[in-house]
Amino acid sequence: MVRTIPTALDGVCLVERRAFPDERGFFTELYRDVHFAEAGLPTHWAQDNRSRSHAGVVRGLHYTVRTPQAKLINCVRGAVYDVVVDVRAGSPTFGQWVGVELDDSPGRSLFIPAGFAHGFCALRDDTELVYKCTASYEPTDDFGVLWSDPAIGITWPVASPIVSAKDQQQPTLAHALQAHRLPTYAG
């Protein structure tokens, strides 16, 4: 069974599943199509990704436009502060964000619908995420907004983050909107 817990952004939700702990450790299903369908979540996934980060690394905020990509984020080692920003032009929650902590305890994921930017801050060394995407990566459709955009105002849990050169050079949300480089809200 899958239970969804809504966040302040419509469609973005925590996904909780049963875990079965015992003296050996635990077992949990990360994905089962029937349970996801019953919960109203996608059942077609095109790509699985894995990333490893050192404590203090901030990755993001990334999104796609032409190849809409929903994501299911699982922290399988360590812990992250996971952030989602509504970057859909015309959305009633445009520019708003939510942040949740995910760790390697079993049974909890974050679902991000298409049209939202995603980023995270690794809270421990060797933190690993495994995440599913509903569309394959397309390099020409790889966009982002500045992780530290003051207009968005994300409160990252790190004083001196480690950020890639690419992510440091992303435009602000206002510049991305002016350049027509954002997904559009469909209502």
Side-chain angles (χ1 to χ4, degrees):
M1 287 273 214
V2 169
R3 180 172 81 111
T4 59
I5 302 167
T7 68
L9 296 178
D10 189 35
V12 178
C13 62
L14 289 166
V15 178
E16 290 189 341
R17 298 167 307 279
R18 285 190 61 198
F20 301 92
D22 63 23
E23 65 279 356
R24 301 168 296 165
F26 69 84
F27 172 85
T28 190
E29 291 178 347
L30 295 179
Y31 169 75
R32 186 190 292 199
D33 58 354
V34 173
H35 292 166
F36 270 61
E38 289 170 351
L41 296 169
T43 59
H44 172 78
W45 301 96
Q47 182 173 324
D48 285 342
N49 299 323
R50 176 182 175 192
S51 75
R52 179 181 292 163
S53 302
H54 302 297
V57 166
V58 169
R59 294 182 189 259
L61 302 158
H62 305 142
Y63 63 91
T64 60
V65 177
R66 294 181 314 279
T67 53
Q69 193 179 60
K71 296 177 181 176
L72 179 68
I73 311 296
N74 295 284
C75 182
V76 296
R77 181 176 182 181
V80 296
Y81 184 66
D82 210 293
V83 174
V84 182
V85 181
D86 188 349
V87 296
R88 301 169 300 162
S91 168
T93 56
F94 179 76
Q96 295 179 24
W97 65 278
V98 295
V100 298
E101 190 170 323
L102 295 175
D103 62 24
D104 53 13
S105 58
R108 191 173 193 194
S109 303
L110 180 66
F111 173 73
I112 305 167
F116 291 82
H118 173 246
F120 65 87
C121 176
L123 301 176
R124 299 182 205 152
D125 275 334
D126 297 322
T127 290
E128 291 190 31
L129 294 185
V130 172
Y131 56 100
K132 295 180 136 352
C133 302
T134 56
S136 296
Y137 175 73
E138 176 57 53
T140 62
D141 195 28
D142 181 10
F143 294 102
V145 293
L146 186 63
W147 67 276
S148 60
D149 184 341
I152 299 172
I154 297 168
T155 307
W156 294 100
V158 62
S160 299
I162 303 163
V163 182
S164 72
K166 174 186 168 185
D167 288 345
Q168 289 177 22
Q169 296 171 7
Q170 295 288 3
T172 64
L173 186 56
H175 283 117
L177 181 62
Q178 290 171 348
H180 304 287
R181 288 182 46 193
L182 295 174
T184 304
Y185 177 67

